[in-house]
Amino acid sequence: MLLKELKCPGCGAPLKSKERDMMLACGHCGRISMYADGKVGDVAYSIAASVKESPGELTYVPFWIVNADLNVKKENISGGKISRFITDQKQMRGTRDFYVCAAAIPEEFSRKWNMDLTLGQPKLDIISGFKGGKRAVMTMEKGIAGENAEFLFLRYETEIPGTLQKLEYDFKINSTKVLYLPAYKTNDKYVLGVPYE
Amino acid sequence: MSEAQKILVSMTCPSCGGQVQCEEGEDLVLCKFCESAFALTTDEGANKVMYKMTVDKDKALAKVKAWFGSGPKAKDLAAKAAVTEAYPLYLPFWRLIARGKACVCGIEEQRSGKDNQKVEIPREALINREYIYSEIACEAGDLGIQSIVIPDRAEAISYDDQEIVTFGVTSSRDAAYEVGGKAISQQAVKDGSDRMTRVYFSKSFFFPKAFTLIYYPFWIVRYTYEDRTYFATVDGITAHVVSGRAPGNAGSQSTAAGVGGAISGGAIGLGIGLAIATDGADVGIGVLVVGIVAAIVLIGYFYQRFRYGDEILEGALNGKGLKSGRTQEKVQSIYNETYDYFK
C-alpha cells in the first residue's frame, strides 16, 4: 500500500484538509476540486442562497442533483386510493431533479430533505460563493448518487397510502451535479434555509 | 450486532513522517499533523490487511483436546488421539461492507375465521441496512472454512507476506466484488420478503463502503486415531474450533440403529394391532397410516445417523459424515442504523 500526495489540478500546490471531504479546496489558489478514484479533478458546483434565516450556524450542505426521466409503465397499489385523493398526494413522475444529500448529516434530517426537495422542486437563488457560512463535508461519491435517487423513488412509492404490489418503470439519468444548500445548525439539529415543502 | 467495525491500519506520512490512520474502505487519507491529503493506492485494487495471531500453540492444542470430548465423537478420542502437527496458517478472505437497500412487495397468506379461510394480505417492505460479506479467497475447501466474523478485539496490522505462511489468492478481486455485491442485494430482498408468501416486485441495490483482502490467522492441528488421519482448525484470535474432522462414536451409532428400529417397528405394530382390533375401522386404519409415516421418518433419521455416523464434520465441510456445529454464513446483517420499513 502506498500514499500518493494529492495536488491541486489548477496550480499544482499540495492539497491539505482537516476533514475527509470529497471536495478539496486548495489553500494556495482557492480552487475546489473533487476527489474520486484516487485522483482529484475539476468539478462544477452551484451554491444556493439562504432565503429562510434560522438561528444557528450557517452551513452549506452538498447534495447530488440527479436529473432523471422517470417513466412508470405499470403500477398496482392495493388500497389507499381515497387517502391519496384527499391528501392530494404529489406524484413523482416525469423528468425532475432528485435531491440526494451527499453529506454525513443525521439520516433523520437527510431522509426528509431528500424526499421533500425532490417532490417540491424548489426555486433557488444561485450565488457565487459560500456567503457567511462554511461548507459541510461531502462523503457520498458520484457513482452511487443515481441508485440512491432511484431508491428514493421506490421509498416514495412505498410510503404513500396503500400497499405497493407491482411496479414497472424506467429510470434514465440525464445528469448528476453538485449543489450546496444552506442549512442552520444548532447542536445536532439542522434547518434548511430554502423553501422546500 | 453493532455497526460494522472498520479496520484501522497505521502508515507513515510521506510529508511530515507522522503516523496516519488509514480506515478500511477510505482511500482518501489525511495526516492529522501536517493536514496533507493522500490517495491510498494498492497493488490489486483492494487494501490488504492481516490480523495479529493472539492464540499460542499450547492454547490451540488445549482447545482441540476439549473439542475431542464434545459431541458424538469417539469416546476414547481424547485419550487415543495423537497430534502429529500443529502450525499457524493465514487464510485470505475477501470482505465487502456495503449498505444494502431493497424494495420488496408481495402478499402474505394467512388462515383465519371458523372455516380457516385463506386470506391474502398485501405487504411491502423497504430494507436499508448495513451488511458484511466475507468469503475465502483461496482453494481451502478441505479445511471447511468459507467465511469469517472478525471479533471486536482483533488487531489489524499492515500486510507483510514475509512474516506469515498463507495460501495464494485464487479468486479475482472483480469476481469477488461482484459476487459479494450480489449476495448482499439478495440478502436485502430476502430480509424484505420475510413475511411474504409470494413476491410480486423487488428491486435491490448495494452501496459499497469498504472492500478488503483480509489475512486471518488459524492454527491447523492434524492428529491420528486408529491409524486414520484427522484435523481441526482453531481460530487464531478467538481460539474456537471452527472446523475439523473427527471419528464418530460407535456406541452412539449402534444405539441410533437399535432405537430407530425399535421405535419404527413399534409404531407400525401399534397401527396393525389397532387396525385388527377395530376390525378395519377408519380410526384403526388411520393410526396404521400415521404409524407407517412416522416409522418412515424415524427410519430415515436414524439411517442418516447410522450411515454417516462414522465421521463427525465441523464447519463447512462436504462429504460423508455427521454434520456438527454451525457453518458461518457469508452475509451478516448489521442492525445498527437500520432504516427498514415494513407494512
Side-chain angles (χ1 to χ4, degrees), chain B residues 49-339:
Chain B
V49 170
M50 60 186 256
Y51 281 95
K52 197 172 172 181
M53 170 88 83
T54 52
V55 173
D56 63 21
K57 188 174 178 178
D58 289 345
K59 189 170 181 184
L61 289 174
K63 284 286 180 179
V64 171
K65 279 181 184 160
W67 178 72
F68 285 161
S70 67
K73 301 185 185 74
K75 275 187 175 172
D76 56 355
L77 181 60
K80 284 192 177 172
V83 173
T84 51
E85 60 178 341
Y87 56 91
L89 179 68
Y90 279 74
L91 293 177
F93 295 85
W94 295 109
R95 180 167 111 129
L96 174 65
I97 303 175
R99 194 113 198 135
K101 295 188 182 182
C103 174
V104 190
C105 307
I107 53 133
E108 180 188 2
E109 280 181 5
Q110 283 187 1
R111 300 265 172 191
S112 68
K114 280 183 187 171
D115 305 330
N116 207 22
Q117 284 277 347
K118 191 165 78 177
V119 182
E120 291 188 348
I121 302 163
R123 296 282 180 207
E124 60 185 3
L126 275 184
I127 297 293
N128 181 355
R129 62 173 79 158
E130 204 158 304
Y131 292 93
I132 301 177
Y133 169 87
S134 74
E135 184 174 27
I136 195 148
C138 65
E139 296 292 338
D142 60 337
L143 285 179
I145 298 169
Q146 65 169 18
S147 187
I148 45 163
V149 174
I150 295 170
D152 289 347
R153 62 176 181 274
E155 186 187 342
I157 47 180
S158 286
Y159 173 74
D160 184 350
D161 60 1
Q162 303 297 310
E163 283 186 12
I164 58 170
V165 177
T166 183
F167 284 177
V169 174
T170 51
S171 53
S172 83
R173 176 208 180 276
D174 291 349
Y177 181 82
E178 196 181 324
V179 170
K182 202 170 171 183
I184 286 174
S185 295
Q186 284 171 346
Q187 187 63 45
V189 171
K190 188 168 175 281
D191 290 340
S193 60
D194 253 2
R195 292 168 64 187
M196 295 176 199
T197 315
R198 278 199 293 279
V199 172
Y200 294 141
F201 169 80
S202 72
K203 176 82 184 178
S204 57
F205 308 91
F206 79 98
F207 300 102
K209 287 186 161 185
F211 187 57
T212 313
L213 184 58
I214 283 168
Y215 286 83
Y216 195 88
F218 295 93
W219 281 97
I220 310 298
V221 178
R222 298 197 185 277
Y223 65 95
T224 56
Y225 172 84
E226 302 278 356
D227 296 330
R228 287 181 71 179
T229 304
Y230 301 90
F231 80 95
T233 311
V234 181
D235 186 311
I237 297 170
T238 65
H240 293 143
V241 174
V242 290
S243 70
R245 285 183 190 276
N249 186 335
S252 152
Q253 292 169 33
S254 331
T255 308
V259 170
I263 294 176
S264 308
I268 294 171
L270 178 68
I272 291 171
L274 267 172
I276 293 168
T278 56
D279 200 17
D282 285 350
V283 66
I285 299 293
V287 172
L288 176 61
V289 171
V290 171
I292 289 171
V293 171
I296 290 168
V297 172
L298 283 167
I299 286 169
Y301 172 73
F302 287 113
Y303 173 72
Q304 287 297 324
R305 283 192 71 89
F306 178 75
R307 184 185 177 194
Y308 296 139
D310 61 334
E311 196 163 286
I312 308 300
L313 306 179
E314 185 103 24
L317 284 168
N318 295 318
K320 290 177 180 177
L322 187 64
K323 293 268 188 187
S324 172
R326 191 177 67 90
T327 302
Q328 179 57 50
E329 296 294 332
K330 291 181 184 175
V331 181
Q332 303 163 245
S333 291
I334 309 295
Y335 296 100
N336 199 23
E337 289 193 32
T338 293
Y339 297 93

Side-chain angles (χ1 to χ4, degrees), chain A residues 1-7 14-24 35-40 76-79 106-108 111 140-141 143-152 154-169, chain B residues 9 11-15 20-23 26-31 34-43 46-49 99 101-107 121-128 158-159 200-201 203-208 337 339 341 343:
Chain A
M1 294 194 289
L2 288 170
L3 293 175
K4 192 180 102 188
E5 190 173 48
L6 296 173
K7 292 181 177 170
L15 290 169
K16 292 181 184 286
S17 179
K18 283 182 185 171
E19 296 174 295
R20 195 179 283 127
D21 189 352
M22 315 287 284
M23 299 285 270
L24 293 163
Y35 176 85
D37 301 325
K39 295 174 205 154
V40 278
N76 180 4
I77 300 175
S78 173
E107 193 140 342
E108 62 178 291
R111 277 168 65 84
M140 185 186 285
E141 291 172 23
I144 61 171
E147 288 191 334
N148 270 288
E150 190 176 342
F151 188 71
L152 181 66
L154 294 171
R155 207 187 105 202
Y156 162 82
E157 289 294 326
T158 51
E159 285 180 357
I160 57 174
T163 308
L164 182 66
Q165 290 289 272
K166 288 178 187 169
L167 186 62
E168 274 181 42
Y169 66 95
Chain B
V9 176
M11 291 182 79
T12 304
C13 173
S15 294
V20 292
Q21 296 280 334
C22 307
E23 191 176 302
E26 300 289 354
D27 57 355
L28 175 60
V29 177
L30 305 175
C31 174
C34 69
E35 298 177 3
S36 292
F38 303 98
L40 182 69
T41 57
T42 53
D43 299 340
N47 291 349
K48 282 185 189 174
V49 170
R99 194 113 198 135
K101 295 188 182 182
C103 174
V104 190
C105 307
I107 53 133
I121 302 163
R123 296 282 180 207
E124 60 185 3
L126 275 184
I127 297 293
N128 181 355
S158 286
Y159 173 74
Y200 294 141
F201 169 80
K203 176 82 184 178
S204 57
F205 308 91
F206 79 98
F207 300 102
E337 289 193 32
Y339 297 93
Y341 163 82
K343 183 167 157 190

